[in-house]
Amino acid sequence: MNLFAYFHDKIAAEIAALGFDLDTSRMSVEPPRDPAHGDVSANAAMVLAKGAGMKPREFAEKLRPRLARLDHVIVAEVAGPGFINLKLDNAFWYARLGEILRAGPAYGDSTAGQGRTVNVEYVSANPTGPMHVGHGRGAVVGDALAALLHKMGHVVVREYYVNDAGAQVDALARSVHLRYRQALGETVGEIPDGLYLGDYLIETGAVLARRDGKKWLGCPESEWLAPVRDFAIEEMLALIRADLDLLGIAFDVFSSERRLVRAGAIEQAIAELEQQGLIYIGTLEPPKGMLPEDWEPRPQTLFRSTAFGDDVDRPIKKADGSWTYFAADIAYHWDKHKRGFADMIDVWGADHGGYVKRMQAVVNALTHGKATIDVKLCQLVNLSDGGQPVRMSKRAGNFVTLRDVVERVGKDVVRFVMLTRRNDQTLDFDFAKVVEQSKDNPVFYVQYAHARARSVMRLAAQHFGANEIDAATLSRGPLDLLADADEIALVRQLAQWPRTVEGAAQMHEPHRIAFYLHEVAASFHALWNKGNADPGLRFVVESKRDLTRARLALVQAMAFVVASGLKVIGVTPAEELR
RNA sequence: GCGCCCAUAGCUCAGAGGAUUAGAGCAGCCGCCUUCUAAGCGGCAGGUCGUUGGUUCGAGUCCAACUGGGCGCGCCA
């Protein structure tokens, strides 16, 4: 249960019961910034007083006595310009604790998404080589976002768009053909400009040589290009899938650009736009201040994206008459919508930022405003090792790959660290730091809290029968023995989890989960240490079995919430850290 | 030149238009292990929320301009 949504409904009902017919959707019910102000804070009076023809404080005073009589409310106060703050009794928090224990790691699951379909497209790295660390960030952000939306009750499809139709896969084919000739004993010398240099293609060329022998030697490119390209793309996708697998990421759908092109999807999409009068032939102004060397005015086929707030209209055909990448992307996003997605989320690298407006324009036009598209731009990842920057020379083909990083520090560390910044902030990733076992390291810190909780449960198992301390039994236990203010505060914090999930899902901000978990872990570590100072506050007090079981309930609930959050992030909760 | 993103403590960053007192972590200083993992915790100190205006009963949060940084800017994807 999202307790704030619960009180929102209760308060709305009381407003209706007072005889007001007001739109309560603008009313927010939230935790007050200062806990001293209570547990729940509503701005109802400020938002609604005008419609009721009253002053905010007057409205609040009228509502206050009714809210004071609600179940579990011990105090209702009017504060400041007209906030109504509610303080809740401990019984309310004991009920939440029981709820967490019954739900387990499913706590926080919501039906708020109402089964509405969401397509999350992420990674979509060109199938020309192994993934690098920047791709890894997008992969984690997209995957966690998908998990979050799923937890919210959305039907989520995780999708990878394979750019297998452009010039870069031809360059790939030529590069592989070169390595293939090399594998068959030819001396190829310097790799020509425009081809891929990476050593990983040596193996790909050798595999092709083993499979097809000398079949592609001595014949014109027109004969070998297509088959070698198909082979190379398959090989590269296999490479990428293996990299993703290391991170525990699997996609539901791989969408092929080439297939769309072949099916005539571009022509169809452009025809639709044409029908709306959004396609025309025109000449673009040169970009000011940054003039390309060979600039000359040229009439082009353009999409009128300025009609939807873009800065200039965008070309959909190249000079040679072939479609631009943008044209294919138009078809692709229309295809997504036609496959039944009302909402689309694309996770891109920040270098694609200039592309966002035109994509939104297209989706807007093609779906007549019925579909939404949100683009999450991920900023750069700066790799370093003990403070020294790690060079990532892609040109030399020996750059640090995602695989290198995951193999060195582990999947869990990579996934968590990628979410310790908002997606639009650059992220520093230091090898030495992220494997450090200290409170410097948020991954470790959160894992340590979970491991500590499991350790307590293991210890407790020595004093209790297993059936006395399972979650279901603990949930029925005498929870009202929890009386320490910090214990109640932890329950209160755990009870914020459903709201945290809903907020992060609505805002498409998975990093909030990582920050929330860090806060929960901090509270738990603090509580643990109170047991060091005062043995009476330790979780396991052998002489007081009922009190111990009440505290074990709290410990177990904390572990469940952490596990629930780590599941969204895709990190395995640690049973112990040794 | 134009567009997008960013600017919060010495450093790295959170912050869902709300109320006196803007929060974490690191770094600094002072404390806490005969005790479930001290791989941790408590305390002190540290801020004109880049600048200037505007909207509002109320702005770190919304709007505008400016300053500084990142990314991008027809026939790459």
Side-chain angles (χ1 to χ4, degrees):
Chain A
M1 149 181 161
N2 178 342
L3 69 100
F4 301 97
Y6 169 85
F7 278 103
H8 188 286
D9 291 349
K10 290 285 178 196
I11 294 169
E14 292 303 328
I15 290 168
L18 274 171
F20 293 114
D21 180 21
L22 297 167
D23 174 17
T24 52
S25 64
R26 276 186 60 230
M27 168 175 86
S28 73
V29 177
E30 299 177 340
R33 188 176 279 184
D34 185 344
H37 293 140
D39 297 308
V40 173
S41 180
N43 66 354
M46 277 95 88
V47 177
L48 301 174
K50 208 170 183 183
M54 301 168 84
K55 288 182 174 167
R57 283 201 66 107
E58 192 187 344
F59 186 93
E61 286 298 348
K62 204 163 158 75
L63 187 55
R64 194 192 61 80
R66 300 190 76 103
L67 301 188
R69 285 195 296 272
L70 289 175
D71 276 354
H72 294 299
V73 172
I74 42 178
V75 179
E77 305 181 303
V78 176
F83 287 98
I84 305 175
N85 297 325
L86 307 180
K87 274 200 174 66
L88 305 177
D89 62 15
N90 283 353
F92 182 81
W93 302 115
Y94 300 141
R96 300 288 72 71
L97 185 54
E99 190 177 71
I100 297 168
L101 289 165
R102 285 188 295 277
Y107 185 59
D109 285 6
S110 160
T111 55
Q114 298 181 310
R116 193 173 158 95
T117 55
V118 185
N119 183 292
V120 186
E121 183 217 321
Y122 53 110
V123 186
S124 298
N126 289 338
T128 55
M131 293 175 66
H132 57 69
V133 182
H135 292 132
R137 183 173 189 181
V140 170
V141 168
D143 206 55
L145 187 50
L148 196 50
L149 291 165
H150 175 75
K151 196 173 178 66
M152 256 281 273
H154 285 282
V155 173
V156 181
V157 164
R158 297 161 200 245
E159 183 154 334
Y160 186 121
Y161 181 45
V162 185
N163 296 127
D164 51 4
Q168 83 286 354
V169 286
D170 288 346
L172 173 73
R174 292 187 188 103
S175 311
V176 169
H177 189 260
L178 200 77
R179 296 300 194 178
Y180 157 81
R181 283 163 46 208
Q182 202 173 29
L184 290 172
E186 283 187 34
T187 308
V188 296
E190 194 86 340
I191 304 223
D193 252 12
L195 295 195
Y196 292 94
L197 303 175
D199 287 348
Y200 57 93
L201 291 178
I202 295 175
E203 173 64 15
T204 312
V207 171
L208 180 63
R210 279 200 294 277
R211 193 192 73 172
D212 291 350
K214 296 187 173 176
K215 193 170 169 184
W216 310 116
L217 284 184
C219 62
E221 180 179 295
S222 57
E223 277 177 41
W224 58 254
L225 186 69
V228 170
R229 187 179 55 208
D230 289 350
F231 165 81
I233 290 171
E234 275 315 306
E235 289 291 308
M236 292 304 108
L237 278 178
L239 202 67
I240 289 167
R241 277 185 224 244
D243 286 352
L244 288 166
D245 192 52
L246 278 184
L247 272 181
I249 291 174
F251 283 88
D252 301 307
V253 176
F254 282 81
S255 263
S256 158
E257 179 187 2
R258 181 173 296 274
R259 195 178 311 157
L260 283 171
V261 170
R262 286 210 186 121
I266 297 181
E267 286 77 5
Q268 285 169 35
I270 301 304
E272 166 67 23
L273 292 175
E274 203 147 23
Q275 209 162 36
Q276 296 184 31
L278 295 171
I279 303 291
Y280 70 101
I281 306 228
T283 306
L284 289 175
E285 293 285 310
K288 285 172 186 146
M290 236 280 323
L291 194 66
E293 283 177 26
D294 55 347
W295 174 269
E296 52 187 81
R298 179 181 295 128
Q300 288 176 292
T301 309
L302 301 171
F303 166 62
R304 202 180 295 281
S305 51
T306 48
F308 301 88
D310 201 356
D311 316 300
V312 288
D313 294 331
R314 304 294 179 174
I316 56 169
K317 272 189 182 174
K318 301 180 192 173
D320 65 5
S322 63
W323 298 112
T324 59
Y325 174 79
F326 178 46
D329 230 1
I330 291 173
Y332 172 52
H333 281 80
W334 201 27
D335 178 67
K336 279 200 255 192
H337 181 247
K338 285 193 286 193
R339 279 185 279 133
F341 297 104
D343 299 305
M344 306 175 211
I345 300 171
D346 289 8
V347 180
W348 296 348
D351 54 341
H352 290 58
Y355 220 73
V356 174
K357 279 187 182 174
R358 77 190 72 170
M359 218 53 249
Q360 284 169 335
V362 157
V363 168
N364 204 333
L366 285 173
T367 69
H368 304 280
K370 275 184 280 193
T372 67
I373 175 165
D374 185 25
V375 180
K376 305 303 284 184
L377 296 177
C378 292
Q379 274 293 350
L380 295 177
V381 178
N382 295 320
L383 268 188
S384 59
D385 196 352
Q388 292 297 310
V390 174
R391 298 247 167 260
M392 286 192 288
S393 165
K394 211 175 172 183
R395 173 99 187 120
N398 59 0
F399 57 96
V400 176
T401 63
L402 179 61
R403 171 172 292 267
D404 295 334
V405 175
V406 178
E407 284 178 347
R408 175 143 168 212
V409 306
K411 171 199 82 154
D412 288 347
V413 167
V414 172
R415 293 193 67 133
F416 199 100
V417 170
M418 291 295 184
L419 293 172
T420 54
R421 291 285 181 276
R422 246 183 321 142
N423 58 284
D424 48 15
Q425 289 280 3
T426 60
L427 183 140
D428 296 322
F429 191 107
D430 191 288
F431 279 116
K433 226 170 203 163
V434 297
V435 292
E436 208 170 273
Q437 296 205 332
S438 76
K439 60 187 172 178
D440 267 24
N441 178 352
V443 197
F444 166 77
Y445 190 78
V446 171
Q447 286 284 35
Y448 187 30
H450 189 267
R452 271 188 154 170
R454 299 305 300 155
S455 157
V456 172
M457 297 309 288
R458 281 193 298 273
L459 176 84
Q462 295 168 16
H463 301 287
F464 293 91
N467 60 343
E468 287 179 278
I469 58 167
D470 64 280
T473 308
L474 289 176
S475 76
R476 292 189 295 271
L479 298 177
D480 55 354
L481 294 176
L482 288 177
D484 183 76
D486 287 339
E487 290 172 340
I488 301 294
L490 180 56
V491 179
R492 198 180 272 125
Q493 195 175 16
L494 296 176
Q496 312 262 335
W497 175 232
R499 177 178 186 270
T500 303
V501 170
E502 286 184 16
Q506 268 165 30
M507 301 302 287
H508 300 166
E509 292 189 348
H511 74 276
R512 292 189 190 189
I513 304 303
F515 281 93
Y516 170 80
L517 291 179
H518 194 268
E519 285 166 16
V520 168
S523 302
F524 182 70
H525 288 311
L527 204 52
W528 174 292
N529 274 275
K530 281 187 86 173
N532 279 342
D534 176 358
L537 284 174
R538 295 175 58 141
F539 298 128
V540 176
V541 182
E542 288 176 29
S543 59
K544 296 178 177 171
R545 293 178 69 84
D546 280 351
L547 176 63
T548 297
R549 294 202 311 134
R551 288 182 177 163
L552 290 177
L554 178 58
V555 170
Q556 182 59 64
M558 193 283 306
F560 278 154
V561 170
V562 169
S564 176
L566 287 179
K567 193 177 169 195
V568 170
I569 295 177
V571 170
T572 314
E575 286 298 308
E576 57 178 348
L577 297 169
R578 290 282 180 195

